[in-house]
Amino acid sequence: MSTITLGHGSGGRQSREIVDILLDSFRRRGIGPEMEDAALLPGGFAMTTDGFTVSPRKFPGGDIGHLCVCGCVNDLAVRGAAPEFLGLGLIIEEGFPSGELLEYMESAAATCSELGMTLAAGDTKVVPSGAVDGVYFTGSAFGRIRRTLPLQMSNLRPEDVLIVTTSIGRHGAAIAAARFNLSVEGLLSDCAPLWPSLEPLLLLDGLRCMRDCTRGGLGTVLCEWAETTGLHLSIEEMRIPIDFSVRSVCDVLGFDPLYMACEGCAVIATAPSCAQEVIDTLRKSPLCGDAAIIGRITEGEPGGMVSMRTLIGGERLVDMPFGELLPRIC
Amino acid sequence: MIVLCLAVPYIIELIMDDNRATATSGAVRTEIRTDLIDSPSPGDTVLVHAGFAIEKLSPEDSEELFALWDEVRRLAGENVV
Amino acid sequence: MKSEGLPEKMSFDPAGAAKALQNIAPKSLSVMEVCGTHTVSIFRSGIRSLLPPGYRLVSGPGCPVCVTDQGEIDTALSLLETGAVLTAYGDMFRVPGASGSLSSKRGEGLDARVATSAMDALLLAEQKPDREVVFLAVGFETTAPATAAMILEARRRKIRNLSVLSFHKRTPPALELLASDQDLSLSGFLLPGHVSVILGHEPFRFLAEEKGIPAVIAGFEPDQILSGLIDLALQQRKGIAKLHSVYGRAVRPEGNPKAREIMDEVFENRSASWRGIGEIPSSGLALREEFAAFDAEKKFSLKPLPGKPHPGCRCGEILTGRITPPECPLFRTHCTPVSPVGPCMVSGEGTCGAYFRFFKTTGGIA
């Protein structure tokens, strides 16, 4: 394709395809990245980087500053790394109110402080009016890996149990509601740092792999795991926790909750022997009280795909979403 | 997103004027147009499509539907011919 | 997954329904699911996997986006070039015309915006009195009354910078064409519940009474669809052909006369071109002369543009139930949701899009 489209940034199949193309220059030289949420570096550190263009910048449950920190922290956390150091880059539109910018910095600092994370590096650029919309944040985060056995997709195997840490789609629904001017009772983005909830799980040998659900939601993570490993993932619609407010927004706007963005929800794969312990531990954490087992990896067909037992007891496939579901969601 | 056959049940909360009402669908509260239905009242359940109420929903299914499902239950118990 | 929940009294029993269908269905039953939303719901709810092997579902032309002729898309795109703001339902954005799509034109900086209601266009026109706002009105009889009501409201408010490009189409003429087609031997029609909310039973009666094909009006929730599919199987077993409705909660036999009155006040019938099918007389809705001030075709002196669809595109055969998407040579190879050749792939209710997402050839769930 000759130009980049919004679909390429949507988090679904098109995003994967564009990333593959963009990484080609690096891969050909043997210096390309692993395709996990954060990279495990030699020397015991993990690293991630993330951009934030969310609109609106303030949404029910958070703002772009808080989101930036949480997004980076969660990418590290799912690879078993503690949030220690943050690098922050801001690209600011000429004329942007400093008061608003300070609010976002305050937000980001408060979140870092709660986690014991230090701002180690930063940069700001100001561009002429119209060159960006308001302000965009980029974050990079570093932290020590706190687990000897790496958490990675290649650990996944048949019989592994699939768990979500909380009800899905709250961030996407909150943004959609704000975009379409819907007033929704009780709807807040799930934007939150997951490190405190996930850290206790790192002691468990049977923990296989974790992934931060962001753009493209739960469905995208499961499809990526299935396609990368060639395994078959089987989930049950009835077991997926979805809040009433998220369901309502999806009903009204015609969205599928499976693909609604999350910003404080992880998918976890674990050996069957410690699945219950994972659930019990998660449920002790204030953010993961509704953690649930949603399915398992099986030896069955079709390999490389995700199937779901539906509410009425039928079966259907879950594919990657495509197109610009909701641009500037995170 | 926004598929063209999509119509969603809402409960009317407040009549704003001849053509507008506020209504709730689950946790969502929004303004809907009532130009296409007769005498909307608070408490009515209506089917909303593209921002317009297109019909009032009856609270119950029809007798024909109950009869159909009686037959389904009977047939589910039959032996395959 | 409606928040309203399943009706309790009915003791909806999908497993029982599946068993009953196994017991009822003869060797082969071929039902046309007219409406694209039925196609998607049937896949997404898992109903497909519960149907016995002899129960064949074919798609119909009930996807208003899919049947929008390519020339119609190109007309809409040409309006963007005039500097007008074009508002359209989200589903229209990726439909390919000859020179691009609403989405690609927006990417080039032209002003195309997603609307969730015709009222969005009216409100935009009020907010931007210095711009021409055009609403791209697509949809069948479920949607046309809303467009009509919006136009009446715009007239009441004396809005001058708003117009409507009407690609609204009528369902019964297309069904008449399909029901008369000797090559298609259909055992039944699953009729669109929400079109019926407006039209009632009368316009569909001919399918059973004149053409001898059983027909059922059904809503879109799984219990509704299963009820409809079972009713059709039962009719075939009993050798009868009637028009039934399982959607009595929403569909009155007389339909919604008020909505029809409003629709008829603003619109009149004219011939329309259905993508892949061709010209069907009296199947389109155009604004009446007295609403000329709101008619984008007149305001912008638009000439209908000829459609030049991709030669390999077989959307027409898909839309008339002659082939299923996997039988189209472009399916998955040249025609994918990312780069669609025809609208059946791109629309949220399009048959090819539904098959692409839910049906895989190797061991997939059909």
Short mmCIF file of all heavy atoms in Angstrom, two decimals, chain B residues 10-24 29-35 37 39-44 46 48 51-53:
data_model
loop_
_atom_site.label_atom_id
_atom_site.label_comp_id
_atom_site.label_asym_id
_atom_site.label_seq_id
_atom_site.Cartn_x
_atom_site.Cartn_y
_atom_site.Cartn_z
N TYR B 10 -35.36 0.85 23.90
CA TYR B 10 -35.11 1.90 24.88
C TYR B 10 -36.37 2.08 25.71
O TYR B 10 -37.47 1.85 25.23
CB TYR B 10 -34.86 3.24 24.18
CG TYR B 10 -33.45 3.49 23.69
CD1 TYR B 10 -32.97 2.87 22.54
CD2 TYR B 10 -32.62 4.38 24.34
CE1 TYR B 10 -31.69 3.12 22.08
CE2 TYR B 10 -31.34 4.65 23.88
CZ TYR B 10 -30.89 4.01 22.75
OH TYR B 10 -29.63 4.28 22.29
N ILE B 11 -36.19 2.55 26.94
CA ILE B 11 -37.35 2.90 27.76
C ILE B 11 -37.42 4.42 27.84
O ILE B 11 -36.43 5.07 28.18
CB ILE B 11 -37.23 2.30 29.17
CG1 ILE B 11 -37.15 0.78 29.07
CG2 ILE B 11 -38.41 2.73 30.04
CD1 ILE B 11 -36.93 0.07 30.38
N ILE B 12 -38.58 4.97 27.53
CA ILE B 12 -38.72 6.43 27.55
C ILE B 12 -38.77 6.92 28.99
O ILE B 12 -39.49 6.38 29.82
CB ILE B 12 -39.99 6.86 26.79
CG1 ILE B 12 -39.80 6.53 25.30
CG2 ILE B 12 -40.26 8.36 26.98
CD1 ILE B 12 -40.92 7.02 24.41
N GLU B 13 -37.96 7.96 29.25
CA GLU B 13 -37.92 8.53 30.60
C GLU B 13 -38.76 9.79 30.69
O GLU B 13 -39.54 9.98 31.62
CB GLU B 13 -36.48 8.96 30.91
CG GLU B 13 -35.74 8.00 31.76
CD GLU B 13 -34.44 8.62 32.26
OE1 GLU B 13 -34.06 9.72 31.82
OE2 GLU B 13 -33.83 7.96 33.11
N LEU B 14 -38.52 10.67 29.72
CA LEU B 14 -39.11 12.00 29.82
C LEU B 14 -39.47 12.48 28.43
O LEU B 14 -38.66 12.39 27.52
CB LEU B 14 -38.02 12.92 30.40
CG LEU B 14 -38.38 14.34 30.74
CD1 LEU B 14 -39.27 14.35 31.96
CD2 LEU B 14 -37.12 15.16 31.02
N ILE B 15 -40.68 13.00 28.26
CA ILE B 15 -41.03 13.59 26.97
C ILE B 15 -40.55 15.03 26.97
O ILE B 15 -40.90 15.81 27.87
CB ILE B 15 -42.57 13.58 26.77
CG1 ILE B 15 -43.11 12.16 26.93
CG2 ILE B 15 -42.95 14.17 25.42
CD1 ILE B 15 -42.65 11.17 25.90
N MET B 16 -39.75 15.40 25.98
CA MET B 16 -39.21 16.76 25.95
C MET B 16 -40.12 17.69 25.17
O MET B 16 -40.37 18.82 25.56
CB MET B 16 -37.81 16.75 25.35
CG MET B 16 -36.81 16.02 26.26
SD MET B 16 -35.27 15.66 25.42
CE MET B 16 -34.57 17.30 25.32
N ASP B 17 -40.57 17.23 24.01
CA ASP B 17 -41.56 17.98 23.24
C ASP B 17 -42.23 17.02 22.26
O ASP B 17 -42.08 15.80 22.41
CB ASP B 17 -40.94 19.20 22.53
CG ASP B 17 -39.84 18.82 21.54
OD1 ASP B 17 -39.93 17.74 20.92
OD2 ASP B 17 -38.89 19.61 21.38
N ASP B 18 -42.94 17.54 21.28
CA ASP B 18 -43.68 16.69 20.34
C ASP B 18 -42.80 15.68 19.63
O ASP B 18 -43.30 14.64 19.18
CB ASP B 18 -44.34 17.55 19.25
CG ASP B 18 -45.58 18.22 19.79
OD1 ASP B 18 -46.06 17.79 20.85
OD2 ASP B 18 -46.05 19.17 19.14
N ASN B 19 -41.53 15.98 19.46
CA ASN B 19 -40.68 15.11 18.65
C ASN B 19 -39.47 14.56 19.36
O ASN B 19 -38.66 13.87 18.76
CB ASN B 19 -40.19 15.89 17.41
CG ASN B 19 -41.35 16.28 16.52
OD1 ASN B 19 -42.23 15.47 16.25
ND2 ASN B 19 -41.38 17.53 16.10
N ARG B 20 -39.32 14.87 20.64
CA ARG B 20 -38.10 14.43 21.32
C ARG B 20 -38.41 13.88 22.70
O ARG B 20 -39.33 14.35 23.38
CB ARG B 20 -37.12 15.60 21.48
CG ARG B 20 -36.56 16.14 20.18
CD ARG B 20 -35.59 17.29 20.42
NE ARG B 20 -36.16 18.33 21.24
CZ ARG B 20 -35.45 19.13 22.03
NH1 ARG B 20 -34.14 19.00 22.12
NH2 ARG B 20 -36.06 20.05 22.76
N ALA B 21 -37.58 12.89 23.09
CA ALA B 21 -37.70 12.36 24.44
C ALA B 21 -36.32 11.93 24.90
O ALA B 21 -35.44 11.70 24.08
CB ALA B 21 -38.63 11.14 24.43
N THR B 22 -36.14 11.86 26.24
CA THR B 22 -34.93 11.17 26.71
C THR B 22 -35.33 9.75 27.04
O THR B 22 -36.44 9.48 27.53
CB THR B 22 -34.28 11.82 27.95
OG1 THR B 22 -35.29 11.98 28.95
CG2 THR B 22 -33.65 13.13 27.65
N ALA B 23 -34.41 8.85 26.77
CA ALA B 23 -34.71 7.43 26.93
C ALA B 23 -33.44 6.71 27.35
O ALA B 23 -32.33 7.19 27.13
CB ALA B 23 -35.24 6.86 25.62
N THR B 24 -33.62 5.54 27.98
CA THR B 24 -32.46 4.76 28.40
C THR B 24 -32.48 3.38 27.77
O THR B 24 -33.53 2.75 27.64
CB THR B 24 -32.42 4.58 29.93
OG1 THR B 24 -33.63 3.96 30.34
CG2 THR B 24 -32.24 5.87 30.65
N ARG B 29 -28.09 6.66 28.51
CA ARG B 29 -29.22 7.60 28.42
C ARG B 29 -28.95 8.55 27.28
O ARG B 29 -27.86 9.11 27.16
CB ARG B 29 -29.37 8.39 29.72
CG ARG B 29 -30.44 9.51 29.62
CD ARG B 29 -30.57 10.33 30.88
NE ARG B 29 -31.21 9.57 31.93
CZ ARG B 29 -30.59 9.10 32.99
NH1 ARG B 29 -29.29 9.32 33.16
NH2 ARG B 29 -31.24 8.41 33.90
N THR B 30 -29.94 8.76 26.42
CA THR B 30 -29.72 9.66 25.30
C THR B 30 -31.04 10.27 24.86
O THR B 30 -32.12 9.85 25.30
CB THR B 30 -29.02 8.89 24.15
OG1 THR B 30 -28.62 9.81 23.14
CG2 THR B 30 -29.94 7.86 23.53
N GLU B 31 -30.94 11.24 23.97
CA GLU B 31 -32.13 11.86 23.42
C GLU B 31 -32.53 11.11 22.18
O GLU B 31 -31.68 10.74 21.38
CB GLU B 31 -31.81 13.32 23.07
CG GLU B 31 -33.01 14.12 22.60
CD GLU B 31 -32.62 15.55 22.24
OE1 GLU B 31 -32.00 16.23 23.08
OE2 GLU B 31 -32.94 15.97 21.11
N ILE B 32 -33.81 10.83 22.02
CA ILE B 32 -34.28 10.16 20.80
C ILE B 32 -35.39 10.99 20.17
O ILE B 32 -36.02 11.83 20.82
CB ILE B 32 -34.82 8.74 21.08
CG1 ILE B 32 -36.01 8.78 22.07
CG2 ILE B 32 -33.72 7.82 21.61
CD1 ILE B 32 -36.74 7.45 22.19
N ARG B 33 -35.62 10.77 18.88
CA ARG B 33 -36.70 11.44 18.16
C ARG B 33 -37.94 10.54 18.21
O ARG B 33 -37.85 9.33 18.08
CB ARG B 33 -36.31 11.68 16.71
CG ARG B 33 -35.16 12.62 16.49
CD ARG B 33 -35.45 14.06 16.73
NE ARG B 33 -36.52 14.59 15.91
CZ ARG B 33 -36.75 15.90 15.77
NH1 ARG B 33 -35.95 16.77 16.36
NH2 ARG B 33 -37.76 16.33 15.03
N THR B 34 -39.09 11.19 18.37
CA THR B 34 -40.33 10.42 18.46
C THR B 34 -41.31 10.77 17.34
O THR B 34 -42.51 10.45 17.42
CB THR B 34 -41.02 10.70 19.82
OG1 THR B 34 -41.17 12.12 19.95
CG2 THR B 34 -40.19 10.17 20.97
N ASP B 35 -40.80 11.41 16.28
CA ASP B 35 -41.67 11.83 15.17
C ASP B 35 -42.47 10.68 14.57
O ASP B 35 -43.56 10.89 14.03
CB ASP B 35 -40.83 12.40 14.00
CG ASP B 35 -39.75 13.37 14.43
OD1 ASP B 35 -38.97 13.02 15.33
OD2 ASP B 35 -39.68 14.46 13.85
N ILE B 37 -43.70 7.84 15.93
CA ILE B 37 -44.64 7.04 16.73
C ILE B 37 -45.73 7.93 17.33
O ILE B 37 -45.56 9.14 17.45
CB ILE B 37 -43.93 6.25 17.86
CG1 ILE B 37 -43.16 7.19 18.80
CG2 ILE B 37 -43.00 5.21 17.28
CD1 ILE B 37 -42.59 6.46 20.01
N SER B 39 -48.20 9.20 20.39
CA SER B 39 -48.33 9.37 21.84
C SER B 39 -47.32 8.60 22.68
O SER B 39 -47.70 7.73 23.46
CB SER B 39 -49.71 8.91 22.32
OG SER B 39 -50.65 9.07 21.33
N PRO B 40 -46.05 8.92 22.56
CA PRO B 40 -45.08 8.26 23.45
C PRO B 40 -45.28 8.74 24.88
O PRO B 40 -45.62 9.90 25.11
CB PRO B 40 -43.74 8.75 22.91
CG PRO B 40 -44.04 10.04 22.22
CD PRO B 40 -45.44 9.94 21.71
N SER B 41 -45.08 7.83 25.85
CA SER B 41 -45.21 8.23 27.27
C SER B 41 -44.05 7.67 28.06
O SER B 41 -43.49 6.64 27.69
CB SER B 41 -46.48 7.64 27.88
OG SER B 41 -47.55 7.74 27.03
N PRO B 42 -43.73 8.32 29.17
CA PRO B 42 -42.67 7.77 30.04
C PRO B 42 -43.04 6.35 30.44
O PRO B 42 -44.20 6.04 30.74
CB PRO B 42 -42.69 8.71 31.25
CG PRO B 42 -43.25 9.98 30.73
CD PRO B 42 -44.24 9.62 29.67
N GLY B 43 -42.04 5.48 30.41
CA GLY B 43 -42.30 4.07 30.73
C GLY B 43 -42.52 3.21 29.52
O GLY B 43 -42.40 1.98 29.60
N ASP B 44 -42.82 3.80 28.37
CA ASP B 44 -42.99 3.01 27.13
C ASP B 44 -41.65 2.42 26.73
O ASP B 44 -40.62 3.09 26.80
CB ASP B 44 -43.46 3.91 25.97
CG ASP B 44 -44.93 4.23 26.04
OD1 ASP B 44 -45.65 3.57 26.81
OD2 ASP B 44 -45.36 5.16 25.33
N VAL B 46 -39.61 1.37 23.55
CA VAL B 46 -39.68 1.63 22.11
C VAL B 46 -38.45 1.06 21.42
O VAL B 46 -37.40 0.90 22.03
CB VAL B 46 -39.77 3.14 21.79
CG1 VAL B 46 -41.09 3.71 22.26
CG2 VAL B 46 -38.61 3.90 22.42
N VAL B 48 -35.60 1.71 18.80
CA VAL B 48 -34.97 2.91 18.25
C VAL B 48 -33.99 2.53 17.15
O VAL B 48 -33.16 1.64 17.33
CB VAL B 48 -34.23 3.69 19.36
CG1 VAL B 48 -33.46 4.86 18.79
CG2 VAL B 48 -35.23 4.18 20.40
N GLY B 51 -31.44 6.77 15.79
CA GLY B 51 -31.86 7.94 16.56
C GLY B 51 -33.35 8.20 16.61
O GLY B 51 -33.79 9.13 17.28
N PHE B 52 -34.15 7.39 15.90
CA PHE B 52 -35.60 7.59 15.87
C PHE B 52 -36.33 6.36 16.45
O PHE B 52 -36.00 5.23 16.11
CB PHE B 52 -36.08 7.77 14.42
CG PHE B 52 -35.81 9.12 13.84
CD1 PHE B 52 -34.53 9.47 13.42
CD2 PHE B 52 -36.83 10.05 13.71
CE1 PHE B 52 -34.27 10.72 12.87
CE2 PHE B 52 -36.59 11.30 13.16
CZ PHE B 52 -35.31 11.65 12.75
N ALA B 53 -37.32 6.60 17.28
CA ALA B 53 -38.17 5.49 17.74
C ALA B 53 -39.05 5.09 16.56
O ALA B 53 -39.71 5.95 15.96
CB ALA B 53 -39.03 5.93 18.91
#
